[in-house]
Amino acid sequence: MEREYDHKSIEDRWMKEWIGGKYWAAPDFPDPAKKRYMLTMYPYPSGDMHVGHVEIFAIHDSIARFVRMQGYEVLNPLGFDAFGLPAENAAIKRGIQPREWTDRNIAIWRASAERFGCSFDWDRMLSTCEPEYYRWNQWLFLRFYERGLAYRKEAAAWWCPKDKTVLANEQVIAGRCELCDTVVVKRYLSQWFFRITDYADRLLDDLALNTGWSERLKTLQRNWIGRSFGAEVDFKLEGIAEPVTVFTTRPDTLWGATFFVLAPEHPLAEELVADTDKESELAEFRKQVEAMTEIDRLSLEHPKHGMFLGKYAMNPVTGEKMPIWVGDYVLMDYGTGAIMAVPAHDQRDLDFARQYGLPVRVVISPEDRQLDPMTMTEAWSHDGVMVNSGDFNGISASESVEAVVAWLEANGLGRRAKNFRLRDWLISRQRYWGTPIPVIHCERCGEVLAPDDQLPVVLPEVVDFKPTGEGSPLATAHDWVNVDCPQCGGRARRDTDTMDTFVDSSWYFHRYLDPHNDHAPFDRAKSDAWMPTDQYTGGIEHAVGHLIYARFFQKVMMDMGMVRDPEPYPNMLNHGVVTMGGKKMSKSRGNIVEASAALDLYGADSLRLYLLFFGPAEQAIDWPEEGVTAIGRVTFPWLQRVWRLCEQVQEAAADAGDGAAETELRRHIHRTIKIVTKDYQGFSFNTAIARLMELVNHAYRYQAEGGGGPMVRELVEALLKMLAPMAPYITEEQWHRLGHETSIHKEMWPEFDPALASEQEVTMVIQVNGKVRDTLSVAPDIAESEMKELALSSDKVRSYLDGGEPSKIIIKPPKLISLVV
RNA sequence: GCGAGAGUGGCGGAAUUGGCAGACGCGCCAGCCUUAGGAGCUGGUGCCCGAAAGGGUGUGGGGGUUCGAGUCCCCCCUCUCGCACCA
């Protein structure tokens, strides 16, 4: 019975069959040789799911289904990143509790993901706002604390005035809050940190283990970690007992250091001017610097400001006096907050020196000219010959770096050193909707850890959970805050900050492997059975946040013996974002296409194919601005063509015969299997679809030329299998309509016969002087001599030879022969 | 400034890695068909000259290597992303 393709009449039925039948359930202990852990970044269940959100599902699920059909045991879980500011802000706006908002959205998201045809194993679903999950955030925090990796310190931290909380470095983008785009300010607060800098070297060096990462992603992480090698040099400061250390990447320029600069907020600055007439001047200077926003300070045109402190340091190699300044171009939180200034060889130092009339001394001379320290305006930061540098004169600067460091070490003036841009991870937030930090502050004992057997420290219900800007909303839950000290039994208070939600996402991929464990975060054997992930898909925007944090957690857990592998995600696919009008889809901007509307109109298969056919998975998609109605035809038109082709062959017998036309079509099927398999392996869905379109075009042409049903049926069965990962519903429906009793998604991926897939005829191109002059159809195994004969006997070719003989003949069998005259 | 990536028809994008540039699709043009639909089918469609056959030209610009360059090398331009007063 023929009928028209209508997604509405088929999708719901198959969705229920797959989910009810637990088609995608994975075992705890797969065959190690056959396991494939396909992970996608778990979503943040904000209110609206738009086509940008489902694009990742289209890509990820197509990969997972393809791998499953290849006979692997696939684990494909999904959970929800449920804690965090956006949910809390949305709840405040609506006057409801964050939990209510979050639970509702999780239900909506799960339903949409199911409708979209995602093959997730829902038995492993997790939600990070459940005590059974965040309990283990707390447990891990305690273990980190015991290892010295969690600590509290008073420090300048980024503060978002709108969200009223501190943020990690990674959440500040160009001086603005990542979430609400408000300009952030610095605040001095006592905050919890994870000592990720202890792992900086391993995080950098182990990037080499992530062989399935793009160069782009690795570069982002390398830049963020920002390791530089150099030396620490000790300077004696007037009136300061201890030597002050600076970090430099250019110890070879030490002889040219003519002044010394401290960051404005450096404590030593205060000490140096204490009881002098500079004291109030420094206070005024600091006020001015603080008044500048971070945006002003980052601006390229920003002129340097400084102030002489009236004291001197001594250059340890020349013995000369160096005036000590504070300068706003020196950062407190990089290196030691103090620098030796070498104006002749560092542009920033030179700018500062020219502005304030400080001495310039050339110690590296370029090969081809003489630098004039009195007039130069461009610092010479390249290699050259050392001059004015005592025993090192005449040596190439780049070659002497090692020798200088050795000399400093031998004389007790300094040592080899390296420095990182990466800062420790600030994890405390002054907000409600997060994991409570399991620490108790006792008047007598100080910081006391919540005992393991008291976990989870359950997030209390707080009616008024709005952030105040003065500490955390949890402080208002008096019954919860006031506790007895676990150590001395005396009066104590719970820590009222909550954890950054990136703590939750740093280990969730292990929890999927043992989601209901109530005596540990997860069982080691279960983790070892599936880890490391075989494929991780997600956006590149997590390059320097989540993807560094999770690697850090993995390494700490490895050091604790909890996991086996040094890296959790050796293979990473960063899909492109979906934009509209060139801008990222967002509700506030009003440029979204809602997933539910698109699913209603197009159906899941069409939406999946539209998204996959747009272009390469890694590339951004710019959805047409007309929105959900942008695409003139609702159904992906080619799916109608596929449907009709299938309908025509339902009754056909399997015996296709082997006439010339049949053999030709069969060859095409096998060539297509070969290419499409490769396309899937390279996540090149757009070209895979193109190849399948060609196959369908061939089938129609074959029919138009009088070809019969049996051969088309053979083609259709292969076509449906190859299309099944990308368009699961229509292929399942037609598979059954062809008379099969079992699911197409449990079929094996089609194999190609190499003999059939190989070309029977190839086009031989004949070039004369590099230009194509004739083409001939020849056998793939044609001999060179025959190619030459054919080429020279071609009329077209001869007309270009002008009766002469080619002076040179290049033959690349079987495709090309090039004649030169 | 440092680092990474990209530049191909009106549009999205292909090109077994040095071998017929523009696959596949959108759009557009012409025709067919009809239970006039958000249809379907057939053909055409880089640009220039030509009625056509055919010829020329063509992958941001300029040079180079090569029988042959979208692909490799050098210089330049433009764009995107990341880091950025990081010592």
Side-chain angles (χ1 to χ4, degrees), chain A residues 127-128 130-137 504 507-508 511:
Chain A
S127 164
T128 56
E130 299 302 333
E132 69 163 34
Y133 185 84
Y134 68 70
R135 166 184 185 175
W136 302 111
N137 284 342
D504 311 6
W507 64 281
Y508 75 108
R511 185 68 180 178

Side-chain angles (χ1 to χ4, degrees), chain A residues 58 116 603-614 636 638-639 642 685 689 693 723 726-727 730:
Chain A
F116 197 56
D605 286 340
S606 282
L607 182 54
R608 289 168 74 117
L609 287 184
Y610 278 127
L611 290 165
L612 293 173
F613 193 56
F614 250 107
F636 193 75
W638 177 69
L639 281 182
V642 170
F685 302 108
I689 294 166
M693 286 173 167
L723 183 58
M726 296 187 284
I730 191 173

